[in-house]
Amino acid sequence: MNLYKYVSEAINEKLGFKANLETPRNRSFGDFSTNAAMVMAKKEGKNPRDFAAEIMPKLSELDFVESASIAGPGFINIKLRDDFIWYAAAKPHDMKTQNPLIIDMDYGSYNVAKSLHIGHLRTSIVGDTLNRIAKYIGHKTISYNHMGDWGRSMGLVIAWIKKNHPDWPFFKDDFNPDADYSKYAMSPEELDTYYPAAVALAKTDEKFMEEARIITAKLQGGHPGYNALYNVFFPISLKSMTETVNKLNIMPFDKNLGERNAALYIEPVEKMLREKNLLVKSDGAEVIIVKKDTDNAPMPPVMFYNSRGAVPYDATDIMALYYRKITDNPDKIIYLTDIRQKLHFEQLFRVAEITGLFPPENLEHIGYGTINGSDGKPFKTRDGNAAGLNDIIDMINEAVKKRVIESGKNLPKETIDTIALAALKFNDLMHDLRSDYIFDPESVTSFEGRTGPYILYTAVRLNSVLKKAGIKKESKLCSLSEEERNLLIEILDFERTVQSAFDNRATDIIANYAYDLCQLINTFYHNCPILREGINEETKAQRLTVTRIARDTLATAIDLMGLKIPEEM
RNA sequence: GCGCCCUUAGCCCAGCUGGAUAGAGCAUCGGAUUUCUAAUCCGCAGGUCGCAGGUUCGAAUCCUGCAGGGCGCGCCA
């Protein structure tokens, strides 16, 4: 049950006007409070405390209210009945929306022939969690790994291979497109080295850079040799991406379709733009003007063809919109990328509007902040390179392993992997995704306090108690201790929290909720023993029921974050 | 130059409904375990919420200005 919503609606109905319901920071004031008296008294020119005294008896009549009282300048504090809390908490969570939407979710955005680095962490983890939340609420989502598989980086990789293997058939005039070229496949590790090497060379060698530009345009234009070579290394890269997705325990993408797929729709999109007279020649390129008279910020045009005839990402993103329109026809498209792409999406959404593809309210860009090192600059490894995702995962695995050995425990490898992943993912999810945050390897691998392992540990302990206790019938209410009461009320805030996380597109809301919930659980666990000697059967049964309810809610939250609960830890 | 974002405890962050005494974690100090799993719990200490005005019964939260930091502004994605 969404307790807040339930209480709020009941109070509004009773009073006949909309009261603002709050949860007081200080629990001793009550379970809820409302400033309705202060707001209404002002409107009607009355004294707030007098007005509060007038409406308070009405609130006391509500069947879930234990007591109501007036405090401070005119707050009305409400305490709920224990039996109501008990009854409400026993119901399983159910928050399927009445209006399910089709939502395209664009996150991940991995690049072909470029291994994943720390920059892909947030888009993957946060995107996956937002996707899970949307599904949990009942929306139909279609997740896209919109791959960087058709731009300049492809031209650079091919140019690099050409430079090192000029004798390969892909570069010959008499290239035979029907032959089998699988023997040219390279290892994923080797493929990973091409792009950085090519970029380094292009920085100093303008001729090489120009060749890469030309190759990019030719690749896009259908050059048989370049396309055959592309088809040699693309599957290698896709396989690596899939392995990383599995390693991160994020749901498989519904569609691994990127720029290349979008570019298949160049003809209808170009036709649409020309019919509307939107393509304008400018410095040898063709662009779409999206500036409005009301703009007071810089608003450059959107590039459709660059001066070499290649389609940059501005264009492929328009085509991707077209593809999604004619296939999914979604109610909403949510893009999750680095915040530095904000302007690009503003431009893209303007094109969507003037072409009539999608109205602006159906398009949404969530820009996430940068993961920085302790120096405040983007996180790098000790050798000064951008940290690879696999390296980071390995580093945390090592720390967990060390920790396990120190504590004298003996845990299987899968459990260590699970704990390490929780440390990494929770650390990412708990931060406001729109802000930069500092990635401190020390604190990510410390496992105490506000961490993923703490969350898992709490769940493992609950499971352990429930397992030892065996299957018990659900109990009746005797009387709630303060610990149980606080815990159950937090559990009754779960649905509101999930809804808020979705509405605000904010994973930290669910992560911080999970942490708060764990704190209450651990306090309960510590102060309310169950299987110890001297606990009477009724108390034991009640505490077991609380434990079971808490475990179910926590397990759901853990699942929404894409974490797994180990058997033991 | 133009535009957007950020500034809360020694460190790292919550505070996404404008409410009552601003909260966690880490680090420091002290206490609780032959564990229903101590990766836990309890406590001490730590703050002019960047600065200055304004709106309001009430401001960390809204508005204005200033300072410091970050980011963006056509042929990379």
Side-chain angles (χ1 to χ4, degrees):
Chain A
M1 178 192 278
N2 184 334
L3 183 67
Y4 176 89
K5 196 171 164 220
Y6 181 89
V7 170
S8 181
E9 283 171 0
I11 288 177
N12 288 344
E13 194 186 334
K14 191 77 182 174
L15 293 180
F17 61 85
K18 199 177 172 308
N20 187 23
L21 194 67
E22 293 167 358
T23 50
R25 193 162 290 161
N26 187 338
R27 273 273 162 77
S28 66
F29 287 132
D31 299 316
F32 290 103
S33 81
T34 176
N35 61 7
M38 283 140 83
V39 175
M40 291 304 284
K42 192 183 173 192
K43 270 185 197 164
E44 301 184 11
K46 292 181 183 169
N47 177 302
R49 284 191 71 104
D50 292 347
F51 193 82
E54 254 176 64
I55 60 177
M56 204 180 69
K58 286 192 188 174
L59 297 180
S60 302
E61 285 169 18
L62 291 163
D63 57 6
F64 53 79
V65 173
E66 170 77 33
S67 61
S69 58
I70 302 169
F75 292 104
I76 301 175
N77 292 324
I78 295 162
K79 190 161 189 275
L80 301 177
R81 291 169 57 111
D82 284 3
D83 55 355
F84 173 73
I85 292 171
W86 185 254
Y87 147 85
K91 289 192 193 172
H93 299 300
D94 177 19
M95 50 181 304
K96 293 284 182 215
T97 176
Q98 299 299 306
N99 301 302
L101 301 174
I102 297 170
I103 307 174
D104 280 2
M105 301 191 76
D106 188 323
Y107 56 92
S109 312
Y110 306 141
N111 298 306
V112 166
K114 282 162 81 175
S115 60
L116 271 67
H117 54 84
I118 192 163
H120 295 102
L121 202 58
R122 296 193 97 175
T123 178
S124 306
I125 293 172
V126 169
D128 181 60
T129 292
L130 288 176
N131 189 3
R132 287 172 193 261
I133 291 172
K135 282 181 191 293
Y136 183 76
I137 291 176
H139 297 297
K140 176 176 165 47
T141 63
I142 301 160
S143 61
Y144 278 83
N145 173 19
H146 185 73
M147 293 178 287
D149 57 1
W150 207 231
R152 163 85 57 77
S153 54
M154 297 301 96
L156 280 162
V157 167
I158 293 171
W160 179 257
I161 296 173
K162 187 177 181 182
K163 184 179 163 59
N164 288 288
H165 305 282
D167 54 318
W168 281 11
F170 310 106
F171 311 116
K172 299 279 167 58
D173 291 338
D174 60 347
F175 176 75
N176 173 13
D178 299 322
D180 176 13
Y181 295 102
S182 54
K183 68 168 177 168
Y184 293 95
M186 62 291 287
S187 72
E189 292 77 21
E190 195 190 339
L191 179 59
D192 278 349
T193 64
Y194 292 175
Y195 179 74
V199 168
L201 179 61
K203 268 185 190 159
T204 57
D205 185 344
E206 179 50 36
K207 255 181 74 185
F208 179 75
M209 177 58 109
E210 184 55 24
E211 173 154 38
R213 290 192 185 107
I214 293 165
I215 289 176
T216 304
K218 284 189 175 173
L219 173 74
Q220 293 177 357
H223 184 283
Y226 297 157
N227 275 275
L229 177 55
Y230 178 95
N231 286 326
V232 168
F233 66 73
F234 172 73
I236 298 168
S237 205
L238 183 62
K239 189 160 171 276
S240 299
M241 288 179 207
T242 308
E243 282 167 8
T244 306
V245 162
N246 290 336
K247 210 167 174 179
L248 287 173
N249 189 37
I250 70 177
M251 295 186 291
F253 287 97
D254 295 312
K255 298 189 179 182
N256 280 298
L257 291 177
E259 297 165 343
R260 180 169 64 153
N261 172 68
L264 297 173
Y265 299 88
I266 188 165
E267 273 183 40
V269 171
E270 184 177 338
K271 185 161 169 266
M272 172 184 74
L273 293 169
R274 293 215 189 278
E275 276 171 0
K276 294 177 193 286
N277 284 319
L278 293 170
L279 285 182
V280 180
K281 287 214 158 48
S282 170
D283 294 338
E286 289 199 82
V287 301
I288 305 163
I289 307 295
V290 290
K291 190 166 168 49
K292 294 176 184 171
D293 293 342
T294 51
D295 284 335
N296 49 9
M299 184 57 66
V302 170
M303 183 154 300
F304 195 76
Y305 284 116
N306 71 18
S307 52
R308 288 161 190 86
V311 283
Y313 85 138
D314 278 348
T316 49
D317 273 358
I318 299 169
M319 296 170 208
L321 276 179
Y322 178 84
Y323 168 79
R324 290 170 193 183
K325 178 76 185 176
I326 63 171
T327 53
D328 309 333
N329 192 22
D331 300 303
K332 209 165 242 311
I333 303 178
I334 298 176
Y335 295 87
L336 184 60
T337 77
D338 191 295
I339 191 130
R340 285 172 290 195
Q341 293 197 37
K342 190 169 185 269
L343 177 58
H344 165 67
F345 283 100
E346 173 66 29
Q347 293 175 291
L348 179 65
F349 296 170
R350 289 189 183 195
V351 173
E353 186 177 18
I354 57 183
T355 56
L357 278 173
F358 288 97
E361 63 269 23
N362 292 8
L363 302 173
E364 203 175 307
H365 173 240
I366 308 171
Y368 56 82
T370 311
I371 301 180
N372 289 330
S374 46
D375 57 356
K377 304 237 169 70
F379 184 81
K380 299 251 166 55
T381 52
R382 278 187 211 106
D383 56 17
N385 292 317
L389 213 42
N390 287 324
D391 299 335
I392 291 170
I393 293 172
D394 290 348
M395 175 187 80
I396 296 174
N397 270 43
E398 277 308 307
V400 174
K401 214 172 179 176
K402 200 174 151 214
R403 170 90 188 198
V404 169
I405 291 167
E406 277 170 3
S407 67
K409 289 175 183 169
N410 185 16
L411 298 177
K413 187 185 174 298
E414 303 84 72
T415 302
I416 289 174
D417 290 349
T418 299
I419 298 167
L421 191 60
L424 180 66
K425 292 178 85 169
F426 187 80
N427 180 260
D428 197 71
L429 291 167
M430 68 187 246
H431 290 98
D432 171 10
L433 68 93
R434 288 158 183 84
S435 305
D436 297 351
Y437 76 85
I438 293 179
F439 185 88
D440 175 15
E442 192 104 341
S443 69
V444 177
T445 55
S446 74
F447 318 132
E448 268 147 37
R450 197 178 204 90
T451 64
Y454 174 85
I455 307 285
L456 296 189
Y457 181 72
T458 306
V460 167
R461 292 215 294 190
L462 295 186
N463 276 336
S464 175
V465 172
L466 291 168
K467 197 173 161 192
K468 282 191 178 153
I471 298 161
K472 289 270 162 36
K473 225 170 47 175
E474 295 294 298
S475 80
K476 289 188 293 190
L477 172 68
C478 322
S479 76
L480 288 178
S481 65
E482 195 187 337
E483 291 88 351
E484 290 170 301
R485 205 169 186 286
N486 290 342
L487 177 53
L488 292 178
I489 285 178
E490 185 73 7
I491 286 167
L492 285 165
D493 207 29
F494 176 75
E495 291 181 29
R496 183 168 72 121
T497 303
V498 174
Q499 190 64 50
S500 172
F502 179 72
D503 292 345
N504 292 294
R505 320 288 192 233
T507 53
D508 61 314
I509 290 178
I510 187 86
N512 288 320
Y513 172 84
Y515 176 71
D516 292 342
L517 182 65
C518 285
Q519 283 195 314
L520 291 167
I521 289 172
N522 281 320
T523 301
F524 160 73
Y525 180 91
H526 213 265
N527 294 339
C528 304
I530 299 168
L531 304 178
R532 293 260 170 76
E533 278 178 35
I535 310 294
N536 74 53
E537 285 303 313
E538 284 180 349
T539 305
K540 187 172 170 181
Q542 179 182 304
R543 288 176 178 176
L544 269 176
T545 299
V546 173
T547 302
R548 200 267 307 155
I549 293 169
R551 190 274 315 270
D552 290 350
T553 300
L554 180 57
T556 306
I558 286 173
D559 188 56
L560 289 177
M561 292 187 287
L563 313 181
K564 287 183 286 194
I565 305 172
E567 285 291 316
E568 55 167 345
M569 65 184 281

